[in-house]
Amino acid sequence: AQRVTQPEKLLSVFKGAPVELKCNYSYSGSPELFWYVQYSRQRLQLLLRHISRESIKGFTADLNKGETSFHLKKPFAQEEDSAMYYCALRGAKDGNEKLTFGTGTRLTIIP
Amino acid sequence: GAGVSQSPSNKVTEKGKDVELRCDPISGHTALYWYRQSLGQGLEFLIYFQGNSAPDKSGLPSDRFSAERTGGSVSTLTIQRTQQEDSAVYLCASSLEALQPQHFGDGTRLSIL
Protein backbone atom coordinates (compact mmCIF):
# COMPACT_ATOMS: atom_id res chain seq x y z
CA ALA A 1 0.00 0.00 0.00
CA GLN A 2 1.13 3.54 -0.63
CA ARG A 3 0.56 6.42 1.73
CA VAL A 4 1.48 10.10 1.87
CA THR A 5 1.56 12.06 5.12
CA GLN A 6 1.63 15.81 5.43
CA PRO A 7 1.77 16.44 9.17
CA GLU A 8 0.94 20.14 9.06
CA LYS A 9 -2.57 21.21 8.06
CA LEU A 10 -1.67 24.88 8.47
CA LEU A 11 1.65 26.71 8.26
CA SER A 12 2.21 30.44 8.65
CA VAL A 13 5.52 32.03 7.74
CA PHE A 14 6.65 35.63 7.59
CA LYS A 15 7.56 37.08 4.22
CA GLY A 16 11.26 36.65 3.58
CA ALA A 17 11.60 33.74 6.00
CA PRO A 18 12.45 30.20 4.89
CA VAL A 19 9.64 27.77 4.19
CA GLU A 20 9.60 24.02 4.62
CA LEU A 21 6.50 21.95 3.94
CA LYS A 22 6.88 18.41 5.20
CA CYS A 23 5.94 15.28 3.30
CA ASN A 24 6.61 11.68 4.27
CA TYR A 25 5.63 8.65 2.29
CA SER A 26 5.25 4.93 2.62
CA TYR A 27 5.87 2.72 -0.41
CA SER A 28 7.78 -0.50 -0.81
CA GLY A 29 9.15 0.15 -4.29
CA SER A 30 10.66 3.14 -6.09
CA PRO A 31 8.17 5.99 -5.90
CA GLU A 32 7.77 9.05 -8.02
CA LEU A 33 7.01 12.10 -5.88
CA PHE A 34 5.23 15.32 -6.79
CA TRP A 35 4.18 18.60 -5.26
CA TYR A 36 0.91 20.14 -6.45
CA VAL A 37 -0.27 23.64 -5.54
CA GLN A 38 -3.69 25.24 -5.54
CA TYR A 39 -3.80 29.04 -5.37
CA SER A 40 -6.97 30.80 -4.31
CA ARG A 41 -9.73 30.37 -6.91
CA GLN A 42 -7.44 28.43 -9.23
CA ARG A 43 -7.24 24.80 -10.16
CA LEU A 44 -4.78 22.31 -8.81
CA GLN A 45 -1.53 22.45 -10.76
CA LEU A 46 1.77 20.64 -10.76
CA LEU A 47 4.53 22.53 -9.00
CA LEU A 48 7.40 20.10 -9.35
CA ARG A 49 8.32 16.43 -9.60
CA HIS A 50 11.36 14.82 -8.08
CA ILE A 51 12.69 13.26 -11.28
CA SER A 52 13.02 16.71 -12.86
CA ARG A 53 15.28 17.96 -10.06
CA GLU A 54 14.31 21.51 -10.96
CA SER A 55 13.46 24.65 -9.04
CA ILE A 56 10.07 26.15 -9.73
CA LYS A 57 9.14 29.59 -8.33
CA GLY A 58 12.12 29.23 -6.02
CA PHE A 59 10.87 25.94 -4.56
CA THR A 60 12.93 22.77 -4.44
CA ALA A 61 12.29 19.31 -3.07
CA ASP A 62 14.73 16.46 -2.62
CA LEU A 63 13.68 12.85 -2.38
CA ASN A 64 15.29 11.29 0.69
CA LYS A 65 14.77 7.55 0.42
CA GLY A 66 16.41 6.88 3.77
CA GLU A 67 13.94 9.09 5.60
CA THR A 68 11.14 8.46 3.07
CA SER A 69 10.61 12.19 2.78
CA PHE A 70 10.06 14.74 0.05
CA HIS A 71 9.95 18.06 1.86
CA LEU A 72 9.29 21.24 -0.13
CA LYS A 73 11.59 24.15 0.60
CA LYS A 74 12.04 27.77 -0.34
CA PRO A 75 14.69 30.01 1.20
CA PHE A 76 12.71 33.26 1.14
CA ALA A 77 8.92 33.18 1.24
CA GLN A 78 6.88 35.58 -0.89
CA GLU A 79 3.28 36.66 -0.37
CA GLU A 80 2.22 35.01 -3.62
CA ASP A 81 3.30 31.65 -2.19
CA SER A 82 0.19 31.57 -0.02
CA ALA A 83 -1.74 28.53 -1.25
CA MET A 84 -2.71 24.95 -0.54
CA TYR A 85 0.10 22.48 -1.18
CA TYR A 86 -0.34 18.76 -1.77
CA CYS A 87 2.35 16.13 -1.84
CA ALA A 88 1.59 13.14 -4.07
CA LEU A 89 3.13 9.78 -4.86
CA ARG A 90 2.92 7.50 -7.83
CA GLY A 91 4.18 3.98 -7.44
CA ALA A 92 6.20 2.93 -10.44
CA LYS A 93 6.70 -0.65 -9.29
CA ASP A 94 3.45 -2.02 -10.68
CA GLY A 95 2.87 0.46 -13.46
CA ASN A 96 0.18 2.09 -11.41
CA GLU A 97 -0.51 5.50 -12.85
CA LYS A 98 -2.81 6.80 -10.12
CA LEU A 99 -1.60 9.45 -7.69
CA THR A 100 -1.91 9.07 -3.93
CA PHE A 101 -2.22 12.47 -2.27
CA GLY A 102 -1.56 13.76 1.20
CA THR A 103 -4.20 15.79 2.99
CA GLY A 104 -2.47 19.05 2.11
CA THR A 105 -0.89 21.98 3.95
CA ARG A 106 -2.33 25.46 3.78
CA LEU A 107 0.58 27.89 3.64
CA THR A 108 -0.02 31.50 4.64
CA ILE A 109 2.68 34.09 4.14
CA ILE A 110 2.43 36.92 6.63
CA PRO A 111 3.38 40.30 5.13
CA GLY B 1 -10.08 24.03 -25.02
CA ALA B 2 -6.96 25.06 -23.21
CA GLY B 3 -7.52 22.90 -20.17
CA VAL B 4 -9.61 20.18 -18.60
CA SER B 5 -13.23 21.24 -18.44
CA GLN B 6 -15.72 19.89 -15.91
CA SER B 7 -19.45 20.43 -15.64
CA PRO B 8 -21.44 21.34 -13.74
CA SER B 9 -19.23 23.40 -11.44
CA ASN B 10 -21.74 22.95 -8.62
CA LYS B 11 -24.48 20.40 -8.12
CA VAL B 12 -26.96 20.22 -5.28
CA THR B 13 -29.29 17.26 -5.17
CA GLU B 14 -31.44 15.30 -2.79
CA LYS B 15 -30.36 12.09 -1.17
CA GLY B 16 -31.35 9.11 -3.28
CA LYS B 17 -31.15 10.89 -6.63
CA ASP B 18 -28.72 9.95 -9.39
CA VAL B 19 -26.12 12.44 -10.62
CA GLU B 20 -23.88 12.66 -13.65
CA LEU B 21 -20.63 14.60 -13.70
CA ARG B 22 -18.88 15.39 -16.95
CA CYS B 23 -15.22 15.80 -17.84
CA ASP B 24 -13.75 17.08 -21.11
CA PRO B 25 -10.03 16.31 -21.11
CA ILE B 26 -7.37 18.25 -22.94
CA SER B 27 -7.51 17.41 -26.62
CA GLY B 28 -5.13 14.59 -27.48
CA HIS B 29 -4.70 13.38 -23.92
CA THR B 30 -5.08 9.63 -23.79
CA ALA B 31 -5.21 9.19 -20.02
CA LEU B 32 -8.09 10.42 -17.85
CA TYR B 33 -8.48 10.22 -14.07
CA TRP B 34 -11.24 10.89 -11.57
CA TYR B 35 -10.48 11.87 -7.98
CA ARG B 36 -12.66 12.87 -5.04
CA GLN B 37 -11.85 15.36 -2.31
CA SER B 38 -14.00 15.21 0.77
CA LEU B 39 -13.90 17.93 3.42
CA GLY B 40 -10.59 17.83 5.27
CA GLN B 41 -9.30 14.93 3.21
CA GLY B 42 -6.70 14.61 0.50
CA LEU B 43 -7.60 13.69 -3.02
CA GLU B 44 -8.81 10.12 -3.29
CA PHE B 45 -8.35 8.20 -6.53
CA LEU B 46 -11.54 6.83 -8.07
CA ILE B 47 -10.96 5.55 -11.60
CA TYR B 48 -8.45 5.77 -14.46
CA PHE B 49 -8.87 5.39 -18.23
CA GLN B 50 -5.97 4.86 -20.63
CA GLY B 51 -6.70 4.65 -24.33
CA ASN B 52 -8.72 1.58 -25.19
CA SER B 53 -7.56 -0.44 -22.19
CA ALA B 54 -9.94 -1.61 -19.52
CA PRO B 55 -10.28 1.13 -16.88
CA ASP B 56 -8.71 0.82 -13.44
CA LYS B 57 -11.77 0.97 -11.18
CA SER B 58 -9.94 0.06 -8.01
CA GLY B 59 -10.75 3.35 -6.27
CA LEU B 60 -14.52 3.36 -6.73
CA PRO B 61 -15.99 3.29 -3.19
CA SER B 62 -19.13 1.30 -4.00
CA ASP B 63 -21.14 -0.15 -6.87
CA ARG B 64 -23.23 3.01 -6.87
CA PHE B 65 -20.31 4.68 -8.64
CA SER B 66 -19.56 4.10 -12.29
CA ALA B 67 -17.78 5.93 -15.08
CA GLU B 68 -17.44 5.69 -18.78
CA ARG B 69 -15.34 7.34 -21.42
CA THR B 70 -16.85 7.57 -24.86
CA GLY B 71 -14.70 7.74 -27.96
CA GLY B 72 -11.56 8.09 -25.88
CA SER B 73 -12.44 11.65 -24.98
CA VAL B 74 -15.32 12.86 -22.77
CA SER B 75 -15.92 10.99 -19.54
CA THR B 76 -19.00 10.80 -17.33
CA LEU B 77 -18.94 9.82 -13.67
CA THR B 78 -22.32 8.59 -12.46
CA ILE B 79 -23.37 8.22 -8.85
CA GLN B 80 -26.62 6.34 -8.28
CA ARG B 81 -28.84 6.66 -5.22
CA THR B 82 -26.66 9.40 -3.76
CA GLN B 83 -25.88 9.46 -0.05
CA GLN B 84 -24.79 12.37 2.11
CA GLU B 85 -21.28 10.95 2.36
CA ASP B 86 -20.97 11.40 -1.40
CA SER B 87 -20.77 15.15 -0.85
CA ALA B 88 -17.33 16.21 -2.07
CA VAL B 89 -15.44 17.95 -4.84
CA TYR B 90 -14.98 15.61 -7.77
CA LEU B 91 -11.86 16.35 -9.79
CA CYS B 92 -10.96 15.15 -13.24
CA ALA B 93 -7.44 15.12 -14.64
CA SER B 94 -5.92 14.14 -17.95
CA SER B 95 -2.41 13.47 -19.18
CA LEU B 96 -0.88 13.13 -22.61
CA GLU B 97 0.02 9.54 -21.85
CA ALA B 98 0.24 7.35 -18.79
CA LEU B 99 3.03 8.46 -16.44
CA GLN B 100 2.99 12.00 -17.84
CA PRO B 101 2.03 14.94 -15.57
CA GLN B 102 -1.67 15.17 -14.83
CA HIS B 103 -3.60 18.36 -15.57
CA PHE B 104 -6.62 19.00 -13.39
CA GLY B 105 -9.98 20.60 -14.02
CA ASP B 106 -11.72 22.98 -11.63
CA GLY B 107 -13.84 20.20 -10.21
CA THR B 108 -17.53 19.71 -9.53
CA ARG B 109 -18.70 20.49 -6.01
CA LEU B 110 -21.43 17.98 -5.20
CA SER B 111 -23.71 18.58 -2.24
CA ILE B 112 -26.22 15.96 -1.16
CA LEU B 113 -29.05 17.28 0.97
Side-chain angles (χ1 to χ4, degrees), chain B residues 90-105:
Chain B
Y90 289 81
L91 288 166
C92 177
S94 71
S95 62
L96 188 60
E97 298 174 344
L99 303 182
Q100 293 298 310
Q102 297 178 24
H103 300 264
F104 284 80

Side-chain angles (χ1 to χ4, degrees), chain A residues 9 32 34 36 38 41-46 49 84 86 90-92 95-104, chain B residues 2-5 33 35 37 40-45 48 56 58-59 91 98-106:
Chain A
K9 283 192 182 297
E32 188 174 3
F34 305 82
Y36 279 81
Q38 188 167 27
R41 301 188 185 87
Q42 295 187 28
R43 60 185 59 184
L44 194 64
Q45 58 187 281
L46 179 66
R49 54 197 302 201
M84 194 75 181
Y86 294 94
R90 180 165 61 203
N96 192 345
E97 292 77 16
K98 72 181 184 187
L99 290 171
T100 297
F101 285 84
T103 50
Chain B
V4 176
S5 177
Y33 313 77
Y35 295 88
Q37 185 173 30
Q41 303 294 315
L43 281 77
E44 170 192 14
F45 167 78
Y48 159 63
D56 176 357
S58 60
L91 288 166
L99 303 182
Q100 293 298 310
Q102 297 178 24
H103 300 264
F104 284 80
D106 287 325

Side-chain angles (χ1 to χ4, degrees), chain A residues 7-43:
Chain A
E8 304 141 327
K9 283 192 182 297
L10 303 170
L11 181 65
S12 294
V13 173
F14 284 101
K15 177 182 173 182
V19 176
E20 182 178 53
L21 295 154
K22 290 185 168 51
C23 172
N24 289 89
Y25 67 89
S26 173
Y27 184 68
S28 57
S30 293
E32 188 174 3
L33 275 296
F34 305 82
W35 277 99
Y36 279 81
V37 60
Q38 188 167 27
Y39 300 103
S40 179
R41 301 188 185 87
Q42 295 187 28
R43 60 185 59 184

Side-chain angles (χ1 to χ4, degrees), chain B residues 17-89:
Chain B
K17 300 284 189 185
D18 297 352
V19 295
E20 282 190 355
L21 312 179
R22 177 187 169 104
C23 172
D24 279 279
I26 294 172
S27 179
H29 279 197
T30 63
L32 186 147
Y33 313 77
W34 283 97
Y35 295 88
R36 175 172 75 172
Q37 185 173 30
S38 303
L39 190 62
Q41 303 294 315
L43 281 77
E44 170 192 14
F45 167 78
L46 296 177
I47 188 168
Y48 159 63
F49 296 89
Q50 171 58 52
N52 295 320
S53 302
D56 176 357
K57 303 179 182 180
S58 60
L60 295 179
S62 79
D63 59 8
R64 295 186 295 105
F65 288 71
S66 63
E68 62 178 24
R69 188 179 183 192
T70 53
S73 180
V74 172
S75 177
T76 302
L77 177 69
T78 301
I79 309 173
Q80 295 178 308
R81 306 181 301 283
T82 52
Q83 303 294 313
Q84 287 190 332
E85 60 262 29
D86 300 335
S87 295
V89 176

